[in-house]
Amino acid sequence: MNKLSVKTARDETSIGQTASVNGWVRTRRDSKAGFSFIEINDGSSQGNIQIVAPGELANYESEIKKLSAGCSITVEGQIKESGGRGQATEIAATKVHVWGWADPEEYPLQKKRHSFEKLRQWAHLRPRTNTFGAVARVRNCICNSIHQFYQEQGFLYVNTPVITASDCEGAGEMFQVTTMNLEQIAKQELEKLNYRFDFFDRPSFLTVSGQLEAETYACALGKVYTFGPTFRAENSNTSRHLAEFWMVEPEVAFAELSDNMDLAEAFLKRIFADALQKCPDDMAFFNERIDESHTLLENMTNIVDSDFVRLPYIEAVEILESCGQKFEYPVSWGTDLQSEHERFLTEEHFKKPVILFDYPRSIKPFYMYCNDDEKTVRAMDVLVPGVGEIIGGSQREHRLDVLTGRMAEQELDIDHYWWYTDLRKYGTVPHAGFGLGLERAVQFVTGMGNIRDVIPFPRTPGNVDF
Ligand code: ATP
Ligand code: MN
């Protein structure tokens, strides 16, 4: 028998087919006329399919009338035009096989709506809800667009290591990787802690970025991107930070900051446009049910169709200083912008995505290209309404003497980065790249307020269940 997904079975073109469909029961209601309506969903689409189960079925009294939310079934029958509203088709069942029961006294996802906080405690079941099913589908769509966009433009996908000995961002918020027995060491004197006996014979960590390694491949292959998990042990319990998140990092040789901005803008527009086009039902759901002002679709369409603002950091500071708005953290030249400042610029002042560039060198990592003013570096951040910073990037410092000067300034061990400085010794070339946090992109596209709700199993301080 023809196996159909709920999505395909919902399509008018399936009318008349005899087929089997699998899924989990969302609701059941019994008609006085002696038959039942069962709604099932299998994750293939936002909508459910309605099953009409006649009383004549052999297991009608013994099983069908006991089905409740969460039960798993396979239905065989004919796809028919539906008389009901909101659906084109339904299935007239000739057989309903029950695979697994879900005790209605215990199953957490009963009809009652649960808060997202509550659903985080059931991270293993929440993908069965409308919201988390939609998030999973849109996240998948974005991942697919990411690969398509870079592949179409001739970038090579390179896999950079998860375990590293370098702190690319210089912020020191790293998770250590060791095979040493910490319990045993704790019982002994501290001198016994000698990294010579550790797996990598030196302190090693989970990576905070694949950038440095991506640079080496860009400086051989021209255009590359890495896309993988990154880890930051920042103890910030915000709605925009995870300890484990996914980052897309393109790196391009023979390129400078303006090329980097062009790439970032085209890239974001592409993933937004694809989500609108390929996930229309899920996007309509987010617009109706998640975005309080119901303007998600409109805003997203506008962003795809208009230019991002490009603004030097110094002009952003001037706007913030003179705007009359009260901020928790004061702004002046040389300070790092806080989320409240970034959001004011993109949400209130410009009301569209903003690319800020040329930041003070004192607040940025060693690898960014130093401008001639000796005060700023060619850094750029892309800010979007609702989320704030979604991309951080820069043109890289390709001049050996300037780079080593900056490393000394930031008290980095130059020997440790010998391979990174080698790139500047042999055939150095201007190059640039950036990092997009995948979860921030998913947050932006779906309008979901908390980053914990756009990754299947969020890792935040104290949370490592599942
Ligand atoms: P923020 O200032 O928001 O903490 P950052 O400046 O430390 O971010 P970058 O080092 O520029 O971040 O990383 C590039 C991108 O990775 C960011 O623009 C953001 O989209 C994403 N990102 C960074 N840290 C996190 C995190 N802890 N959780 C999720 N995404 C993150
Ligand atoms: Mn940044």
Side-chain angles (χ1 to χ4, degrees), residues 15-64:
I15 290 173
Q17 286 191 45
T18 303
S20 83
V21 179
N22 305 318
W24 288 268
V25 173
R26 288 292 177 85
T27 59
R28 188 201 86 237
R29 81 196 149 80
D30 305 320
S31 155
K32 287 206 187 73
F35 59 92
S36 300
F37 295 107
I38 310 162
E39 297 250 345
I40 63 169
N41 192 288
D42 65 350
S44 58
S45 69
Q46 180 62 237
N48 306 326
I49 189 131
Q50 174 165 287
I51 317 292
V52 184
E56 293 77 49
L57 293 180
N59 59 347
Y60 185 73
E61 290 297 331
S62 60
E63 295 194 316
I64 292 174

Side-chain angles (χ1 to χ4, degrees), residues 169 232 234 241-242 245 247 389-392 435 437 440 451:
E169 294 304 305
R232 296 194 184 178
E234 41 202 350
H241 290 92
L242 290 163
F245 62 100
M247 187 141 67
E389 180 186 331
I390 191 168
I391 280 180
R440 299 224 183 141
I451 198 164

Side-chain angles (χ1 to χ4, degrees), residues 202-424:
R202 83 198 63 172
S204 307
F205 308 91
L206 294 179
T207 187
V208 295
S209 161
Q211 176 201 318
L212 303 187
E213 291 93 349
E215 281 185 52
T216 69
Y217 268 64
C219 291
L221 300 165
K223 299 196 277 189
V224 302
Y225 67 107
T226 170
F227 181 14
T230 40
F231 306 86
R232 296 194 184 178
E234 41 202 350
N235 208 346
S236 45
N237 257 309
T238 77
S239 58
R240 320 249 176 275
H241 290 92
L242 290 163
E244 176 179 304
F245 62 100
W246 286 67
M247 187 141 67
V248 191
E249 296 175 275
E251 190 71 38
V252 183
F254 305 98
E256 53 176 34
L257 194 68
S258 63
D259 304 309
N260 212 28
M261 294 189 204
D262 293 344
L263 183 68
E265 182 166 343
F267 173 47
L268 288 176
K269 285 179 173 171
R270 169 63 182 273
I271 58 182
F272 300 161
D274 279 354
L276 288 169
Q277 200 212 327
K278 296 183 182 170
C279 302
D281 296 349
D282 291 323
M283 292 304 294
F285 172 85
F286 290 122
N287 193 62
E288 282 313 302
R289 306 289 286 275
I290 300 297
D291 181 32
E292 278 169 16
S293 55
H294 309 303
T295 52
L296 183 76
L297 291 176
E298 189 190 320
N299 294 345
M300 198 85 99
T301 308
N302 287 339
I303 286 171
V304 170
D305 293 336
S306 66
D307 291 340
F308 292 9
V309 174
R310 299 185 183 190
L311 188 78
Y313 165 92
I314 186 164
E315 289 179 30
V317 169
E318 283 160 11
I319 292 172
L320 291 164
E321 280 175 331
S322 60
C323 68
Q325 180 95 359
K326 261 239 149 296
F327 295 112
E328 194 183 331
Y329 296 91
V331 209
S332 62
W333 200 94
T335 56
D336 210 354
L337 298 186
Q338 301 293 325
S339 172
E340 56 174 344
H341 308 130
E342 297 176 341
R343 295 186 61 170
F344 174 82
L345 290 168
T346 178
E347 286 165 22
E348 317 271 330
H349 191 83
F350 292 107
K351 298 187 167 48
K352 49 154 74 179
V354 180
I355 309 182
L356 289 186
F357 62 97
D358 284 350
Y359 282 74
R361 62 192 261 174
S362 56
I363 58 170
K364 290 292 180 186
F366 70 95
Y367 54 72
M368 296 187 176
Y369 184 94
C370 291
N371 283 314
D372 293 342
D373 64 10
E374 300 205 331
K375 286 195 305 214
T376 59
V377 287
R378 267 180 210 167
M380 63 173 218
D381 278 1
V382 183
L383 317 176
V384 292
V387 172
E389 180 186 331
I390 191 168
I391 280 180
S394 65
Q395 182 177 331
R396 318 307 187 187
E397 184 53 75
H398 69 284
R399 297 162 299 184
L400 182 63
D401 52 334
V402 184
L403 181 69
T404 51
R406 283 276 283 160
M407 292 171 90
E409 203 176 285
Q410 302 199 354
E411 291 171 15
L412 293 173
D413 180 358
I414 294 176
D415 295 340
H416 184 92
Y417 292 90
W418 64 273
W419 54 274
Y420 190 71
T421 48
D422 261 8
L423 292 180
R424 279 75 182 163

